[in-house]
C-alpha cells in the first residue's frame, strides 16, 4: 500500500462513504501518513463552523490542512436569553449585545483567514468559498433543543406559556458596530451571506463583500424587514446602495442579489416611498446595481424580490455609459410596487368587484399573542426587562403596514409605469452583445391570473414552459406574458432594432388550466 502514488490513494478514499452517523472514511486515517493525507483531503475540504467553535478550529486546521480547505460555512452565534425573555421583544441593550457578538465573531473569522495569507505554502487557493449562513441565538425558536421546542410549542398552544417566537426579534437588525476595521481577504473567490430568520443589516452584508477584492461570485440574500419603520427602511436601502458602490468588480463573474420584502397584501394600500426625502427622484440602490451589472467580465446578474425602477436597467446619466460586454444572463423579479410607493399593476376593468372589496377595515379583533396586562410601551417595539409578557397584536400591525385585510385585485400592468420600465429594459438589452437570456417577472398573488413575465431567449436557449413549437429555439424570441395587455409599440421597436430577426410572442394562459395561446407580435 505504501508504494501506491498519493493521487491513487486519494482517489480510492473518495469512494468510501462518509455519510451518516458512522463514517468508513475516518478510521482509514490511521493506516499510514499517506492515508491520513488522503482522508484529510476530504474531511477538511468543506467545513461548517459555529463562531463558538472558532478557537477549536484554529488549533486543528494548521499546516498542510489549510490548503485543502475550499468551502467554509460560518454560523454566527449571538447571546442566549432567559426563558421568560422569550415573551419579550428585544431591547436596545439586547441589540447592542447582539451587535457586539456579531462584530467579534466576524472580526475573528476575518483575522483567521487573513493569517493564512501570510504563508503562501499554507494559504488556500483563491477558490476558497466563504458563506455566512446564519445568525442566531441558542434560544431562538428553531435553535432550541428539539425536546424543549416541542414542549414549549405544546405549552404555548395550551395557554400555559407566553412566547413571541420569531416575533421577538422581527424588528431587530444585527450588524457590525461602527468604525469596525476588517482586513482585506485576497484568498476568497466566492462570498455568500444569508439573512434568514435573523435580519442582517444590509449595509453590513455589502461591506463584508467589499473587503474581498478578488471576488468572482457574490450572493447576497438580504431582507428588507422595516415595514413598520419607513424612515429606517429608507436609510438601510440608501446605506446598502452606498456600500455596493465599493464592491470590487474587476474579477466578478456572477452576482446574485435578493432584498426580500413582500408587497402589501392589501392592494388598496399606498406604500411609503423608500427613496431619500432629500433626493426623491433618485433610486440609489437600483443605480448601484445597474453599475454592478456592467462589470467588465460579469456573465450572470440576478436581482430578486424588491422594489425596482427603470434605473436598474438604464442610467439617468448616460455620459459614462458602457455596454454590458460579457453579460449573458440577466434575471430580475420585481415587487408590484415602485420605490415611490405606486403600483405597477391596476385592476382589470372586466373583473367583478367583490362584495367586501374596498370597504372600510373591520376593527382589530385579534387577541394578543401574550398577556394583555403588558408593561410594554405600545409606541415602542423594544420593551423593558420585567417578567410581564409583551403584547403583540399581529392583525393591527399587519393593517398598519398594508398586509391586512387581504385584497388581491391588481393583475394588469399600468401603462404609465410599466412602459418606462420595459423601455429601459429594451434599451439595456440592445447594449448586451453576449446576451442569451433576460427575464423580468412579478408574482401577482391572484389565483386566477398567471404571473407577469417578459422573457428573452437567444438562439439555442430553451424555455420549458413557453417554447411549445419544435425548432423554435433556432431563433431569438421575446415572450410577453401579461394576458391581453400589450407593451407600447416603441418598446417592441427597440427590441426589434436591437435584435434583428427577433420573434415576439404574446402569451395568454387559459384560466385554471395549464394551457396557453400565443399570438405573434
Amino acid at each position: 500500500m505504501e508504494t501506491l502514488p498519493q493521487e491513487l490513494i486519494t482517489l480510492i478514499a473518495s469512494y468510501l462513504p462518509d455519510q451518516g452517523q458512522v463514517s468508513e472514511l475516518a478510521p482509514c486515517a490511521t493506516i499510514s501518513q499517506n492515508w491520513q493525507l488522503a482522508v484529510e483531503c476530504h474531511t477538511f475540504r468543506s467545513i461548517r463552523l459555529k463562531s463558538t467553535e472558532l478557537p477549536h478550529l484554529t488549533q486543528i486546521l494548521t499546516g498542510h490542512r489549510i490548503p485543502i480547505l475550499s468551502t467554509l460555512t460560518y454560523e454566527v452565534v449571538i447571546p442566549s436569553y432567559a426563558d421568560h425573555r422569550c415573551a419579550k421583544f428585544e431591547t436596545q441593550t439586547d441589540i447592542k449585545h447582539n451587535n457586539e457578538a456579531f462584530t467579534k465573531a466576524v472580526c475573528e473569522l476575518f483575522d483567521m483567514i487573513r493569517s493564512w495569507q501570510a504563508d503562501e505554502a499554507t494559504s488556500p487557493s483563491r477558490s476558497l468559498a466563504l458563506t455566512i449562513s446564519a445568525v442566531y441565538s441558542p434560544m431562538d425558536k428553531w435553535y432550541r433543543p428539539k425536546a424543549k421546542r416541542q414542549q414549549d410549542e405544546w405549552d404555548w398552544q395550551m395557554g400555559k406559556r407566553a412566547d413571541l417566537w420569531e416575533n421577538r426579534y422581527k424588528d431587530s437588525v444585527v450588524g457590525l458596530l461602527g468604525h469596525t476595521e476588517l482586513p482585506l481577504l485576497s484568498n476568497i473567490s466566492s462570498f455568500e451571506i444569508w439573512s434568514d430568520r435573523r435580519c442582517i443589516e444590509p449595509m453590513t452584508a455589502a461591506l463584508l463583500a467589499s473587503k474581498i477584492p478578488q471576488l468572482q461570485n457574490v450572493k447576497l440574500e438580504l431582507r428588507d424587514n422595516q415595514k413598520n419603520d419607513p424612515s429606517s427602511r429608507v436609510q438601510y436601502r440608501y446605506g446598502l446602495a452606498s456600500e455596493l458602490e465599493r464592491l470590487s468588480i474587476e474579477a466578478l463573474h456572477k452576482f446574485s442579489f435578493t432584498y426580500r420584502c413582500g408587497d402589501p397584501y392589501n392592494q388598496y394600500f399606498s406604500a411609503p416611498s423608500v427613496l431619500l426625502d432629500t433626493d426623491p427622484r433618485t433610486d440609489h440602490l437600483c443605480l448601484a446595481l445597474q453599475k454592478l451589472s456592467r462589470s467588465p467580465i460579469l456573465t450572470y446578474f440576478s436581482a430578486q424580490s424588491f422594489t425596482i425602477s427603470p434605473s436598474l436597467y438604464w442610467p439617468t446619466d448616460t455620459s459614462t455609459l458602457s455596454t454590458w460586454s460579457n453579460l449573458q444572463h440577466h434575471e430580475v423579479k420585481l415587487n408590484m410596487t415602485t420605490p415611490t410607493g405606486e403600483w405597477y399593476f391596476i385592476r382589470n376593468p372586466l373583473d367583478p368587484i367583490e362584495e367586501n372589496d374596498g370597504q372600510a377595515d373591520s376593527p382589530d379583533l385579534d387577541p394578543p399573542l401574550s398577556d394583555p396586562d403588558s408593561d410594554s410601551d405600545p409606541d415602542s417595539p423594544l420593551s423593558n426587562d420585567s417578567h410581564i409578557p409583551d403584547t403583540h397584536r399581529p392583525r393591527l400591525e399587519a393593517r398598519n403596514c398594508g398586509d391586512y385585510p387581504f385584497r388581491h385585485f391588481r393583475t394588469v400592468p399600468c401603462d404609465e409605469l410599466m412602459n418606462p420600465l420595459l423601455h429601459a429594459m429594451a434599451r439595456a438589452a440592445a447594449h448586451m452583445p453576449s446576451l442569451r437570456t433576460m427575464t423580468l417577472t412579478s408574482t401577482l398573488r391572484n389565483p386566477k391570473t398567471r404571473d407577469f413575465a417578459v422573457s428573452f431567449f437567444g438562439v439555442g436557449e430553451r424555455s420549458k414552459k413557453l417554447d411549445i413549437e419544435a425548432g423554435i429555439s433556432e431563433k431569438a424570441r421575446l415572450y410577453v406574458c401579461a394576458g391581453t395587455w400589450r407593451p407600447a409599440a416603441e418598446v417592441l421597436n427597440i427590441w426589434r432594432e436591437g435584435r434583428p430577426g427577433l420573434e415576439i410572442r404574446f402569451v395568454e394562459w387559459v384560466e385554471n388550466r395549464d394551457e396557453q395561446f400565443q399570438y405573434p407580435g
Side-chain angles (χ1 to χ4, degrees):
M1 183 68 71
E2 291 293 335
T3 61
L4 291 177
Q6 182 65 52
E7 293 80 2
L8 183 57
I9 296 176
T10 303
L11 180 62
I12 295 172
S14 68
Y15 285 92
L16 296 175
D18 190 28
Q19 303 292 331
Q21 296 180 347
V22 180
S23 171
E24 296 184 18
L25 184 58
C28 296
T30 62
I31 296 175
S32 66
Q33 288 186 347
N34 289 344
W35 268 95
Q36 179 184 351
L37 179 59
V39 170
E40 290 179 350
C41 283
H42 296 277
T43 56
F44 288 99
R45 180 180 301 168
S46 178
I47 295 177
R48 176 176 288 272
L49 177 72
K50 298 178 182 177
S51 57
T52 52
E53 301 168 338
L54 195 61
H56 179 61
L57 179 70
T58 58
Q59 294 178 1
I60 63 173
L61 189 62
T62 58
H64 69 275
R65 292 171 175 170
I66 296 177
I68 296 172
L69 182 65
S70 62
T71 303
L72 178 59
T73 303
Y74 195 57
E75 299 177 355
V76 177
V77 182
I78 57 179
S80 187
Y81 43 91
D83 196 63
H84 77 275
R85 298 289 301 162
C86 294
K88 306 285 290 182
F89 292 113
E90 286 192 332
T91 65
Q92 292 290 355
T93 301
D94 293 329
I95 294 174
K96 179 176 179 290
H97 292 161
N98 292 343
N99 290 341
E100 289 172 347
F102 180 84
T103 301
K104 180 176 182 291
V106 169
C107 287
E108 290 177 348
L109 172 68
F110 271 56
D111 288 341
M112 179 186 70
I113 299 175
R114 173 77 163 72
S115 69
W116 298 341
Q117 298 174 182
D119 187 353
E120 294 184 1
T122 60
S123 175
S125 68
R126 288 186 178 178
S127 61
L128 180 63
L130 173 63
T131 299
I132 298 180
S133 63
V135 178
Y136 67 90
S137 166
M139 277 298 288
D140 291 350
K141 177 179 179 180
W142 298 106
Y143 294 93
R144 298 177 198 177
K146 183 177 180 180
K148 174 174 173 51
R149 185 181 75 245
Q150 291 176 339
Q151 184 63 48
D152 288 349
E153 288 177 329
W154 175 257
D155 290 344
W156 178 72
Q157 291 171 0
M158 294 294 103
K160 300 178 181 179
R161 175 184 176 83
D163 203 315
L164 288 172
W165 306 109
E166 292 175 301
N167 290 306
R168 166 178 158 78
Y169 46 85
K170 62 181 177 57
D171 293 325
S172 301
V173 177
V174 180
L176 290 173
L177 294 175
H179 309 294
T180 301
E181 294 293 333
L182 293 173
L184 295 178
L185 303 181
S186 59
N187 52 357
I188 296 178
S189 63
S190 176
F191 175 71
E192 297 185 15
I193 187 166
W194 296 75
S195 184
D196 188 13
R197 302 189 186 280
R198 288 268 183 174
C199 184
I200 299 174
E201 186 182 45
M203 63 194 80
T204 289
L207 185 150
L208 296 179
S210 71
K211 295 297 181 179
I212 308 174
Q214 299 298 325
L215 272 179
Q216 299 176 17
N217 174 43
V218 178
K219 187 170 189 177
L220 305 179
E221 289 280 340
L222 309 178
R223 286 171 52 203
D224 177 8
N225 74 330
Q226 300 298 314
K227 280 188 173 183
N228 296 316
D229 188 357
S231 60
S232 293
R233 190 181 184 196
V234 170
Q235 293 302 321
Y236 282 137
R237 183 181 173 106
Y238 177 71
L240 172 60
S242 300
E243 289 298 335
L244 286 174
E245 294 272 5
R246 304 179 185 180
L247 196 66
S248 178
I249 62 175
E250 287 76 13
L252 195 60
H253 282 276
K254 185 176 182 180
F255 181 82
S256 179
F257 173 84
T258 301
Y259 195 30
R260 197 173 308 282
C261 181
D263 291 308
Y265 281 89
N266 179 5
Q267 294 184 351
Y268 285 106
F269 185 75
S270 297
S273 172
V274 294
L275 305 181
L276 293 173
D277 291 338
T278 55
D279 194 4
R281 295 179 179 273
T282 304
D283 186 350
H284 293 277
L285 178 58
C286 282
L287 282 173
L289 290 169
Q290 177 251 121
K291 292 177 183 177
L292 270 173
S293 72
R294 290 188 278 114
S295 302
I297 61 174
L298 190 73
T299 60
Y300 176 86
F301 175 85
S302 174
Q304 304 284 324
S305 303
F306 69 112
T307 54
I308 74 168
S309 66
S311 298
L312 181 63
Y313 290 104
W314 196 255
T316 52
D317 179 12
T318 59
S319 60
T320 59
L321 178 66
S322 60
T323 62
W324 292 257
S325 54
N326 288 292
L327 191 63
Q328 299 178 13
H329 304 281
H330 192 288
E331 301 175 1
V332 174
K333 183 175 182 180
L334 76 154
N335 280 9
M336 294 179 66
T337 54
T338 71
T340 56
E342 300 172 279
W343 289 86
Y344 274 119
F345 297 86
I346 61 176
R347 179 194 294 274
N348 188 332
L350 299 179
D351 287 346
I353 298 178
E354 302 294 336
E355 183 177 350
N356 63 344
D357 206 7
Q359 294 182 2
D361 297 345
S362 60
D364 180 42
L365 302 178
D366 268 4
L369 292 185
S370 53
D371 194 327
D373 297 326
S374 171
D375 66 345
S376 61
D377 180 358
D379 297 326
S380 173
L382 303 176
S383 62
N384 62 30
D385 198 31
S386 76
H387 283 241
I388 301 176
D390 284 348
T391 299
H392 178 224
R393 295 183 180 272
R395 185 174 295 182
L396 178 61
E397 184 177 286
R399 180 183 290 113
N400 291 338
C401 64
D403 284 338
Y404 184 82
F406 297 164
R407 298 288 188 265
H408 297 165
F409 59 86
R410 297 180 182 272
T411 59
V412 178
C414 173
D415 290 337
E416 291 76 12
L417 297 174
M418 186 60 73
N419 276 318
L421 182 65
L422 297 184
H423 186 275
M425 177 187 182
R427 293 180 72 184
H431 289 75
M432 299 177 181
S434 302
L435 188 64
R436 296 168 59 184
T437 63
M438 189 177 200
T439 59
L440 174 66
T441 62
S442 183
T443 301
L444 301 184
R445 286 183 174 168
N446 190 308
K448 298 180 180 180
T449 306
R450 292 281 182 152
D451 292 342
F452 169 83
V454 176
S455 305
F456 166 80
F457 298 93
V459 176
E461 299 294 327
R462 286 193 55 80
S463 169
K464 293 181 179 179
K465 290 186 177 181
L466 299 175
D467 289 341
I468 58 177
E469 295 181 10
I472 191 67
S473 61
E474 297 177 0
K475 60 183 74 174
R477 295 93 65 211
L478 179 71
Y479 292 106
V480 179
C481 305
T484 58
W485 181 84
R486 301 292 184 262
E490 183 181 1
V491 172
L492 302 179
N493 289 337
I494 294 175
W495 273 103
R496 292 189 181 99
E497 292 171 3
R499 304 279 165 177
L502 177 70
E503 180 166 325
I504 298 177
R505 295 196 171 193
F506 303 114
V507 180
E508 298 179 19
W509 293 89
V510 180
E511 184 176 328
N512 298 323
R513 297 172 65 182
D514 195 21
E515 296 181 17
Q516 59 178 282
F517 294 101
Q518 295 189 2
Y519 304 93

